[in-house]
Amino acid sequence: MIGGGFGGASCARLIKSEDRDIAVTLIEANSTYIACPFSNAVIAGLRQLEQQKFGYDRVRAAGIDVVHRKVTAVDTKQRTVRLEDGKQLAYDRLVVAPGVELRFDAIPGYNEAAAELLPHAWKAGEQTLLLRRQLEAMKDGGVVVMSAPANPFRCPPGPYERASLIAHYLKTHKPRSKLILLDAKDAFSKQKLFEAAWKELYPGLIEWVSLSSGGNVTRVETDTRTFVTEFGSHVADVGNVIPPQRAAAVAALAGVADQTGWCPVDPVSFESTLQPGVHVIGDAIIAGGMPKSAFSANSQARVCATAVVDLLRERTPATPKLINTCYSLVAPDYGISIAGVYQPANGLLTDVPGAGGVSPLDAPKSVRVQESTYAEAWFKTITHSVFG
Amino acid sequence: MNRLMHTLVAATLVVAPGLTSAASPPGAASCLGCHTVAVDGGPVPALGSFTAEQMVTAMQAFRSGSRSATVMNRIAKGFSDEEIKAIADWYARRKSK
Ligand SMILES: Cc1cc2nc3c(=O)[nH]c(=O)nc-3n(C[C@H](O)[C@H](O)[C@H](O)COP(=O)(O)OP(=O)(O)OC[C@H]3O[C@@H](n4cnc5c(N)ncnc54)[C@H](O)[C@@H]3O)c2cc1C
């Protein structure tokens, strides 16, 4: 198993719990996992980064060999994985769950060094704290500029949840400030719900600029914190660039990523359509209708684990159904959700017609409060099932 | 006794040469994204606290809209009667493990 996030760590545990005779090795670069869900609340000062951190003791206790090293090469012919220290591991089946890589070649001016001034905060950790500190240091009346990428990317509602919670912070602490969200799209996840909530909770504070109104960022200038778009430029006091993404580098090393940068898989077994014997789950895959979320990664991990055990035992994997539910907080006590049910069709995970959708637009306040409670409960349950 | 029987059944399934998957019914695994089986005191009900019949009744009511919900109504619409029954039976069996 390469990658010990929401996808990989769950999949490793589930394989082991389904069949104790299968030897499972989890290779994860970091000894502490820092979860992205709820990291927007950390940015807004509503939560501590410590609450996002998880270790691998319980994964080890489940009988899994956990190795904290980076994978530097995969040989799918010899069925071996090479680690950064030169060590080689052999496998019968390999699962790759590496998450995403931020593309520092996509927006001119935005590279790793630029991210120290204009944080992406799209991988939780030091970047999350950097953005939070910048917001805390900003004067009242300042301008926060964010940019969101075109689809597909990790956590489709994430940029809008972030804009909401930053607006909550600004309204509470720096009410004369403003947030501009430059978007490379004309539509986004839970859009009507977000826009209605922004009008209600943060009137005049958030300005969303769609692709067709000039939202596409063509260049950034770090020294002046300037976002250049097709229609003009925006100077930020605090800038947050969420760059385009692709499957993390190891996917390309293993030959499971295609020219899009993402990984095509069989939707029944999550086996790569490019490399037999290698399965891919989570953010890295081309999942059809399923969004790149921790919930999806976990649902896929469960199905993939059973398929891997089936295939190792020479059984045919059964056709699955998968669910995704993503909560977003618009304010600490205001939650909204999107849900979907998916099944394999035409080689992809496809929406089951008539199912899923978003929270009602006209729901009373009590429902928003209830959904914010469910959001927290979800995070507790899922992190406990993966790492606890 | 009950526990022993389940272990034996599981062991037979593993060694039996056959082609049937050991998978849970379609959709069942995803329930555990939000729900636990054992009661944990959180706001989301534990699946182990229901009988199979209760779960079927609840899912059908969510699906038809006769029972209000935040998200379960949207999810239940993705499952047929047979699928709901299979999931409910599967969780009822797991609970007794
Ligand atoms: C701001 C934000 C908010 C979000 N909110 C939500 C939410 O509310 N709900 C939700 O469901 N999702 C949310 N997400 C999305 C969620 O974080 C991802 O979808 C999820 O983490 C994907 O899981 P994964 O296992 O595919 O990848 P990851 O969790 O990224 O795990 C991949 C792991 O692989 C390891 N790895 C990569 N390459 C190598 C290598 N070469 N060698 C060894 N290890 C390697 C990495 O270190 C990493 O630990 C949010 C994301 C963001 C950014």
Side-chain angles (χ1 to χ4, degrees):
Chain A
M1 182 75 54
I2 303 177
F6 283 102
S10 354
C11 193
R13 287 183 81 156
L14 289 154
I15 291 174
K16 196 72 191 171
S17 77
E18 280 192 33
D19 193 332
R20 299 218 47 94
D21 295 337
I22 297 173
V24 184
T25 304
L26 173 66
I27 311 163
E28 162 55 53
N30 303 308
S31 55
T32 301
Y33 181 75
I34 310 181
C36 286
F38 276 89
S39 67
N40 285 331
V42 176
I43 292 167
L46 300 165
R47 214 176 146 84
Q48 298 307 318
L49 192 67
E50 290 311 307
Q51 293 170 272
Q52 303 297 112
K53 293 186 180 172
F54 300 89
Y56 292 89
D57 289 351
R58 300 303 302 267
V59 178
R60 261 191 202 96
I64 292 153
D65 198 4
V66 181
V67 179
H68 290 301
R69 290 282 184 284
K70 204 172 161 178
V71 173
T72 51
V74 178
D75 184 335
T76 51
K77 288 213 174 66
Q78 301 297 321
R79 302 208 165 200
T80 56
V81 166
R82 184 190 292 276
L83 310 183
E84 56 190 329
D85 57 6
K87 208 174 250 160
Q88 228 163 245
L89 300 170
Y91 65 82
D92 294 307
R93 288 213 164 247
L94 178 67
V95 183
V96 184
V100 298
E101 168 175 278
L102 302 169
R103 287 188 48 196
F104 289 115
D105 59 351
I107 302 174
Y110 198 69
N111 52 26
E112 265 180 293
E116 295 305 312
L117 289 161
L118 302 168
H120 53 77
W122 216 242
K123 292 201 174 190
E126 196 38 51
Q127 279 276 312
T128 313
L129 295 177
L130 178 61
L131 184 53
R132 172 172 169 164
R133 283 195 303 271
Q134 290 186 350
L135 287 167
E136 284 167 354
M138 189 183 82
K139 63 176 191 294
D140 189 8
V143 177
V144 179
V145 180
M146 286 178 64
S147 75
N151 296 322
F153 65 101
R154 156 176 287 185
C155 194
Y160 315 95
E161 176 187 69
R162 176 173 292 176
S164 307
L165 292 180
I166 291 178
H168 175 79
Y169 170 80
L170 296 176
K171 184 182 166 184
T172 315
H173 299 280
K174 298 169 186 184
R176 293 189 296 113
S177 311
K178 206 180 139 117
L179 185 147
I180 299 170
L181 173 46
L182 303 170
D183 210 327
K185 304 180 282 307
D186 276 326
F188 60 87
S189 177
K190 307 181 218 182
Q191 181 165 356
K192 286 200 174 117
L193 287 162
F194 275 115
E195 288 182 331
W198 291 345
K199 219 171 178 180
E200 180 191 336
L201 302 176
Y202 315 117
L205 208 158
I206 299 178
E207 183 191 342
W208 176 66
V209 184
S210 68
L211 169 67
S212 46
S213 345
N216 191 36
V217 175
T218 51
R219 184 160 51 91
V220 295
E221 289 164 11
T222 40
D223 45 351
T224 53
R225 294 183 202 273
T226 303
F227 290 65
V228 181
T229 71
E230 279 151 12
F231 289 27
S233 57
H234 302 265
V235 178
D237 291 294
V238 172
N240 168 216
V241 177
I242 304 170
Q245 295 143 41
R246 64 181 156 228
V250 70
L253 292 178
V256 291
D258 70 12
Q259 71 286 356
T260 64
W262 304 100
C263 308
V265 296
D266 166 53
V268 172
S269 63
F270 292 88
E271 187 162 353
S272 166
T273 56
L274 304 176
Q275 298 291 346
V278 183
H279 300 249
V280 193
I281 53 171
D283 283 359
I285 69 168
I286 299 172
M290 252 185 139
K292 299 188 187 303
S293 71
F295 197 116
S296 293
N298 185 255
S299 294
Q300 293 160 8
R302 292 174 187 281
V303 171
C304 180
T306 307
V308 166
V309 175
D310 277 341
L311 291 165
L312 286 170
R313 299 296 180 214
E314 291 175 356
R315 296 184 298 241
T316 309
T319 303
K321 255 190 183 179
L322 295 92
I323 301 172
N324 175 64
T325 304
C326 280
Y327 290 100
S328 300
L329 294 178
V330 186
D333 60 351
Y334 192 123
I336 54 177
S337 63
I338 183 163
V341 184
Y342 307 90
Q343 63 193 5
N346 306 321
L348 288 171
L349 288 160
T350 311
D351 278 273
V352 173
V358 299
S359 313
L361 201 51
D362 58 357
K365 174 78 188 148
S366 59
V367 168
R368 308 295 189 217
V369 174
Q370 209 177 1
E371 290 217 284
S372 71
T373 325
Y374 288 158
E376 275 205 48
W378 165 77
F379 186 72
K380 249 195 197 150
T381 301
I382 199 158
T383 52
H384 187 79
S385 86
V386 178
F387 300 104
Chain B
M1 180 58 198
N2 215 344
R3 190 195 188 99
L4 181 68
M5 278 195 33
H6 275 285
T7 317
L8 289 178
V9 169
T12 326
L13 283 179
V14 172
V15 290
L19 293 171
T20 326
S21 161
S24 51
S30 285
C31 304
L32 300 174
C34 291
H35 296 270
T36 53
V37 177
V39 179
D40 70 349
V44 179
L47 298 178
S49 58
F50 305 111
T51 63
E53 294 71 41
Q54 285 171 327
M55 211 184 283
V56 169
T57 310
M59 284 292 280
Q60 286 174 339
F62 286 137
R63 195 179 56 190
S64 72
S66 66
R67 178 168 169 184
S68 71
T70 54
V71 74
M72 280 313 299
N73 47 358
R74 292 176 255 157
I75 291 170
K77 288 194 181 85
F79 293 91
S80 67
D81 282 340
E82 298 73 51
E83 287 171 331
I84 288 173
K85 173 121 187 10
I87 294 171
D89 286 344
W90 191 75
Y91 277 107
R93 280 201 305 278
R94 277 194 57 155
K95 166 173 87 164
S96 58
K97 265 198 199 180

